[in-house]
Structure formats: C-alpha cells, structure tokens
Amino acid sequence: MRLSGDVAIIGAGLIGLAVAHELARRGATVRVFERDLPGRAASWAGAGMLAPYTERMNDDALARLCAQSLALYPGFVADIEATSGVGVHLHLDGIVNAAFDDVRMDELRRDAERLRANGVACDVLDRSGAMLAEPSLGRHVFGAIAVEGEGAVDNRRLGRALTAACESAGVAIVRDARDVAVECDARRVLGVRSNWGFAGASHVVVAAGAWSASLPGLPVACEPPLEPIKGQMLALAMPRGFLKRTTWVPGAYLVPRDDGRLLVGATVERAGFDQRVTADGVRSLLDAALDAAPALGDFAVTETWAGLRPGTPDERPILGPTSVDGLILATGHYRNGILLTPVTARLIADFVERGDRAVLEPWLLARFEKEGAATKRMSKP
Ligand SMILES: Cc1cc2nc3c(=O)[nH]c(=O)nc-3n(C[C@H](O)[C@H](O)[C@H](O)COP(=O)(O)OP(=O)(O)OC[C@H]3O[C@@H](n4cnc5c(N)ncnc54)[C@H](O)[C@@H]3O)c2cc1C
C-alpha cells in the first residue's frame, strides 16, 4: 500500500527525521518544521550508544523495544548511508563494562548470567582479560563483562545523513521555522502554522524532543508529560585505537569515535532547560574517567557540551495517536532516543499507513490518563 496525504512533523531531531524519511519512502508528502538546524539538539548532544543490555533496564517491554531497534540498526543505517552518501560509523563490536571492586564485579557476573539466560552473548573477563580487552584501563581494574552485539553510532553524522536522505526522498525540511503551532478543531488536527503560513496536513507528528509539551496549539489533553533531563559530556583527543570499544566505568562511559575523539559522558541532572556546561559537571566526568583510565590525563580536552533528554515519568517513550484525530506523538525517548530511532520510525509510519494501534498500546499517551495523569505528570518547567 502506498501512502497518500500530507504529513507535517514538528522537530528535525533524529526521531522527526527518521519518521519523515520512512513516511516519504512509503509515498507520503512530508514537511518537517524545525526552528533551528536539523539534528542539532539532543540528537547531536548524545553519545550514540546502542546499549539495551548494558543499560540494565528493569522494564521488560522497554528492553524488548530497545532490542528490537538494535536489530533494525544495520539495515536502517545501510539504507540511510546508501541514500545520503554519508557514512555514520556504526560499530556493533560489543560494549565492555568494567568493575573496580568485587561488589561491582559480582553485580556484573549476575548481569552476565541474566543476559545469557535471555540469549545475549556475554563474556566475563577476569582482571587480565579486562586489561587485554582494553589496555587503557588502569591496573586497579577488577574485571569486566563484554556484551556482544551492542555498540555505538556517530549520532552527529547520523543526523547529517538522515537530513540528506530525507531531502533526496522529497521531504521538505523547513529550517528556521518560527512560531510553529499545531492547529486542530474540536475533533481532528488540521495542520501546522508557522511564520511560513499555514500548511494543512492529515497527520501532524510532534517530535520536538524535550520541548514537545510546550508547543503552541497543542490541546491540553495531548500534552506529553515531559521533563528535560540535562546531560553534560566532553571529548578528549585520543591517539587512534587507544580505546577500542565503548567502555563503561563507574560514573562514566567512554565512547571512541573514528575521528580520534573519545567521548566521556554523561551527567544526569534535573535542571530545567539549563544547558550550561558547569565546572562540577566536567569535574565529575573527568574524575570518573581518570580514576578508571589514568592515562587519559595526558590528553587534550577538545570539546564540552550539554543537551536535554526528553524524560517521561515512567522512562518509556510516548508514541502514537492522541485523543485528537491525526495528532501523533513521537517523543519522550529519554536516554535511548538514538537507539530507538529505527523502531520509532517504523511504528509511527505503520500507524499513519495502516492505523495499526494495538502494537502501540504500551507507548500511548493514554497510559498516563489510566494511571491518573495528575499524579504521574512531571511538573512543567
Ligand atoms: C548527553 C546525552 C547523552 C545521550 N546519550 C545517548 C546514547 O548514548 N544513546 C541513546 O540512544 N540516546 C542517548 N541520548 C538520548 C537521545 O539523544 C535523545 O533521546 C534523542 O536524541 C531525542 O531525539 P529527538 O529527535 O526526540 O529530540 P531532539 O534531538 O532534541 O530534537 C528535537 C527537535 O525539535 C526541535 N524543536 C523543538 N521545539 C520546536 C518548535 N517549537 N518548533 C520547531 N522545532 C522545534 C528542536 O530544535 C530539535 O531540533 C543522550 C542524550 C543526551 C543529552
């Protein structure tokens, strides 16, 4: 079936762009409204880790969704790279999670057992195994587990690639859009108004990340309960190959990029929409990184930055229809939006194309109404 009709998407982060690309491929006419540059907000600030298992999720449904998205990643990336001509440096060579005391090592051993019982390949490494896997880890390392199949993508490159792929698939990306507002009547969505005028649409997808709740024109009943969760990060200039794989250490993660940067992340802070990089934030990241790998102390700090994760009360994304016909949410991806990009694009496109709602049940905004929105909602900043 080929889609017909106009879809308007608000927000050109990875989520909005991937949904736009998937819908355009299926035949829809798609416009994306972005007030800034595409792929520059949380989607740019993130570390790009694809780590559904190392993240240790207690929510089985969310863990399954993340694993499903990880499985989609190679095909998703191959498609976007082929259409855009931009390489996104996907590495699925595993993630090392290192322990520096026996209590933590016992926890990791239990994680490994649980993962293996669920069919995820995972090695338990003793001290020399850990140092062989990642020689840059300091001599106090106790051991590690190495989870296969996980990894990282260069999310900044993925943003550029998706932007180019969207444009070559005919998506109109409206940059620098001002005063973007949803327009609805009592029953259904009508389109999007901006400084460019009114654009009618049969479906409007709100993918404005941490800002999705404050969009003008969004009916109160359709406001997602979101809280911005700040994350600070920094980059070091690393000799090529110094760290081979994404490595978790107590208090930080280290993500090597192909261009020689080593990302160190990330703080998790409730600070409203504040995006400053602070001395405390940088210190906490450097302390954690240098405690685990003292040799990093000699490297130059080349960049620091902060971004806002779109957090929800239950840490699940909010995906799918609302009480207003045609008005769809694709937001609230919190810590795993880069990982969840391919599966989000597929679920939202399936819904627009076939009205497939059952599969979206765990992710609908309506779950908060059932549980009592008043108590579950986070305070709106
Ligand atoms: C420090 C940090 C580390 C992270 N690490 C990881 C990780 O390793 N792995 C992972 O999977 N996830 C990670 N995340 C989470 C991930 O980055 C986010 O979940 C994801 O990028 C959210 O994507 P998005 O497209 O919904 O939002 P965003 O990327 O924030 O995009 C939203 C877009 O909407 C636009 N917008 C907002 N309001 C309006 C408006 N009124 N009009 C027009 N446009 C508007 C914004 O300008 C922006 O471009 C991390 C996040 C941070 C901050």
Side-chain angles (χ1 to χ4, degrees):
M1 176 179 157
R2 298 288 289 167
L3 262 169
S4 61
D6 284 6
V7 181
I9 297 176
I10 302 175
L14 290 180
I15 298 296
L17 291 169
V19 170
H21 184 252
E22 185 61 28
L23 284 166
R25 272 175 22 136
R26 299 188 192 193
T29 303
V30 186
R31 273 195 201 83
V32 183
F33 293 86
E34 170 55 54
R35 65 181 174 192
D36 199 340
L37 292 170
R40 289 290 300 187
S43 298
W44 177 92
M49 282 184 303
L50 309 175
Y53 310 120
T54 299
E55 275 272 350
R56 287 174 118 205
M57 289 171 204
N58 296 320
D59 178 338
D60 288 345
L62 181 59
R64 278 195 302 276
L65 189 75
C66 287
Q68 197 186 336
S69 205
L70 178 64
L72 292 175
Y73 240 96
F76 169 74
V77 158
D79 182 26
I80 300 301
E81 287 184 332
T83 319
S84 66
V86 179
V88 305
H89 301 177
L90 173 68
H91 295 289
L92 295 175
D93 48 359
I95 292 186
V96 173
N97 197 346
F100 287 76
D101 59 51
D102 53 351
V103 176
R104 179 68 184 145
M105 194 59 219
D106 283 347
E107 279 174 12
L108 291 181
R109 274 196 201 94
R110 284 196 294 277
D111 284 353
E113 276 166 30
R114 188 177 41 79
L115 288 170
R116 284 176 183 153
N118 287 308
V120 179
C122 183
D123 288 332
V124 177
L125 309 173
D126 61 11
R127 182 169 176 275
S128 56
M131 293 192 74
L132 203 62
E134 285 303 342
S136 56
L137 289 172
R139 58 198 171 82
H140 300 302
V141 69
F142 217 84
I145 60 172
V147 184
E148 288 182 22
E150 296 188 317
V153 66
D154 187 329
N155 40 297
R156 296 182 184 178
R157 296 183 70 92
L158 181 58
R160 291 206 294 279
L162 266 170
T163 303
C166 277
E167 284 172 335
S168 76
V171 173
I173 302 180
V174 184
R175 295 166 169 84
D176 290 320
R178 299 282 150 229
D179 307 321
V180 175
V182 180
E183 282 212 3
C184 314
D185 65 17
R187 209 181 56 80
R188 65 160 302 113
V189 80
L190 303 172
V192 170
R193 187 169 293 282
S194 71
N195 58 325
W196 295 93
F198 176 71
S202 59
H203 295 83
V204 172
V205 181
V206 176
W211 300 269
S212 298
S214 51
L215 266 183
L218 200 61
V220 174
C222 304
E223 283 177 11
L226 292 178
E227 182 182 19
I229 306 290
K230 175 176 170 180
Q232 302 187 47
M233 293 192 56
L234 58 87
L236 304 174
M238 166 187 83
R240 193 165 293 279
F242 185 81
L243 194 90
K244 289 181 250 172
R245 288 184 286 180
T246 295
T247 301
W248 284 37
V249 298
Y253 49 73
L254 311 171
V255 184
R257 288 282 191 251
D258 290 1
D259 61 9
R261 285 177 307 143
L262 178 66
L263 311 192
V264 182
T267 65
V268 179
E269 302 167 65
R270 302 175 101 121
F273 285 89
D274 171 27
Q275 293 196 62
R276 289 173 309 133
V277 174
T278 63
D280 269 344
V282 170
R283 179 174 58 184
S284 73
L285 295 172
L286 285 175
D287 279 352
L290 297 185
D291 281 354
L296 299 179
D298 202 31
F299 299 161
V301 176
T302 53
E303 196 185 347
T304 59
W305 66 94
L308 299 175
R309 308 171 182 91
T312 62
D314 57 7
E315 301 188 1
R316 289 183 175 191
I318 303 175
L319 309 176
T322 62
S323 53
V324 171
D325 273 0
L327 182 58
I328 296 167
L329 299 176
T331 187
H333 293 78
Y334 187 39
R335 296 170 65 93
N336 287 297
I338 299 164
L339 171 59
L340 287 169
T341 293
V343 78
T344 299
R346 182 173 285 197
L347 288 171
I348 298 295
D350 285 350
F351 177 74
V352 173
E353 189 177 18
R354 300 194 293 264
D356 201 353
R357 185 186 161 111
V359 70
L360 290 168
E361 209 58 47
W363 322 113
L364 293 175
L365 175 67
R367 71 183 185 268
F368 296 108
E369 308 309 328
K370 279 183 207 148
E371 293 164 21
T375 51
K376 292 295 282 183
R377 278 186 186 228
M378 288 177 161
S379 54
K380 235 174 107 177

